[in-house]
Amino acid sequence: MSLHTLPTVFITGATSGFGQAAARRFGHQGYQLVLTGRRLERLNALADELTPHCKVHVAQLDVRDAEQVRSVIEALPTSYQNVEVLINNAGLALGASPADKASLDDWHTMIDTNVTGLVNVTHSLIPMLLKQPKATIINLASIASNWCYPGAHVYGASKAFVAQFSRNLRSDFAGTGVRVTSLEPGLSESEFSLVRFNGDQDKYNQIYDGTNPLQPEDIADIMFWVAEQPSHININSLEVMPTSQAWDNFKVVKQQ
């Protein structure tokens, strides 16, 4: 099949982690890519790496800015408007302190990115997705959307929004050919955790010490599998953990 007839994958947060790995996974299969993120130099480097394998369009984008999102999507070249796969990957966690010690600015940033940013991109791309005979929205949620743990407060709540929003979109799009998946990874090793701890390498290392966490390439393989399913199949939600992680007993504490 000619590269010019292959569908387009639109990826947010393509500068690192799951988004970067997804770009490589789909790109090496010849899919056209629209790569977005805030760090333009990283996007350009990734585009240079992938252009031998696929066509790439790069756009610097802060998903929190609804007007910027609209402008980037409206400015897509005609040959990139056949968006068949949307990967809503841009997101972050900030801090792991108890709620009474958490930063309100961090809370707002997580809501603005994980919730508002995802809504901005999805709303602007829906018209393009609906024009495709088969389309897939993959929203990156988290096991934190299903399971509580100390220090997750707003992060977990924002990812619970992602999971429920995915289910509600699925209800709206039944019969249209647009599929929606909430992908919910557990312990994963990527720049995500370094951002969460404000660049503290020691805290980052402690999380993964003695474990065998998921890698971005693992999640990218799952994204590709979801998108490649036959058009009559929708993967509603998919929770995935490394074998070194599992559920534990409920916490019981003495009253003070």
Side-chain angles (χ1 to χ4, degrees):
M1 186 182 292
S2 166
L3 287 180
H4 295 285
T5 63
L6 282 174
T8 297
V9 181
F10 190 108
I11 304 174
T12 66
T15 57
S16 65
F18 299 158
Q20 187 180 79
R24 292 186 173 116
R25 185 68 176 88
F26 282 90
H28 280 275
Q29 294 298 317
Y31 276 83
Q32 294 189 153
L33 301 175
V34 176
L35 304 180
T36 70
R38 290 185 295 169
R39 292 171 288 189
L40 185 59
E41 70 286 351
R42 287 199 181 190
L43 293 175
N44 286 332
L46 185 58
D48 289 343
E49 172 193 329
L50 292 174
T51 44
H53 308 282
C54 63
K55 294 174 63 181
V56 182
H57 176 76
V58 164
Q60 189 172 27
L61 177 63
D62 184 341
V63 296
R64 298 173 296 180
D65 186 332
E67 186 55 44
Q68 189 181 85
V69 169
R70 281 193 293 270
S71 296
V72 163
I73 291 172
E74 288 173 0
L76 284 177
T78 303
S79 61
Y80 287 90
Q81 292 181 11
N82 60 335
V83 177
E84 183 178 284
V85 181
L86 165 59
I87 298 177
N88 274 317
N89 168 73
L92 78 170
L94 293 173
S97 301
D100 58 308
K101 295 180 173 62
S103 159
L104 182 59
D105 286 342
D106 286 350
W107 281 10
H108 285 166
T109 300
M110 285 187 278
I111 293 168
D112 291 345
T113 307
N114 300 351
V115 175
T116 305
L118 181 142
V119 166
N120 289 341
V121 175
T122 303
H123 189 268
S124 289
L125 275 173
I126 283 172
M128 286 186 188
L129 292 163
L130 285 170
K131 290 178 182 178
Q132 310 308 315
K134 180 184 84 167
T136 308
I137 299 173
I138 300 174
N139 292 327
L140 264 295
S142 166
I143 61 167
S145 62
N146 303 318
W147 310 103
C148 303
Y149 62 87
H153 35 72
V154 167
Y155 173 70
S158 71
K159 290 303 184 177
F161 173 91
V162 174
Q164 186 65 19
F165 182 58
S166 300
R167 289 190 283 266
N168 290 337
L169 285 178
R170 179 75 190 96
S171 296
D172 287 344
F173 293 145
T176 66
V178 177
R179 293 104 54 92
V180 187
T181 296
S182 173
L183 180 53
E184 299 154 8
L187 183 67
S188 306
E189 186 174 18
S190 74
E191 191 176 293
F192 172 91
S193 296
L194 203 57
V195 170
R196 183 170 202 169
F197 295 112
N198 198 29
D200 189 322
Q201 189 68 49
D202 288 337
K203 287 185 178 179
Y204 176 94
N205 294 339
Q206 289 170 20
I207 293 174
Y208 303 113
D209 183 38
T211 70
N212 187 11
L214 301 172
Q215 298 298 316
E217 292 76 18
D218 300 325
I219 301 304
D221 286 343
I222 293 170
M223 292 181 198
F224 187 78
W225 175 80
V226 167
E228 286 283 299
Q229 290 301 300
S231 60
H232 67 289
I233 296 175
N234 190 93
I235 308 299
N236 298 328
S237 62
L238 202 163
E239 183 182 272
V240 54
M241 297 181 189
T243 54
S244 55
Q245 183 179 39
W247 309 276
D248 204 349
N249 294 327
F250 281 109
K251 185 175 183 179
V252 178
V253 297
K254 294 181 179 180
Q255 292 288 96
Q256 296 184 1

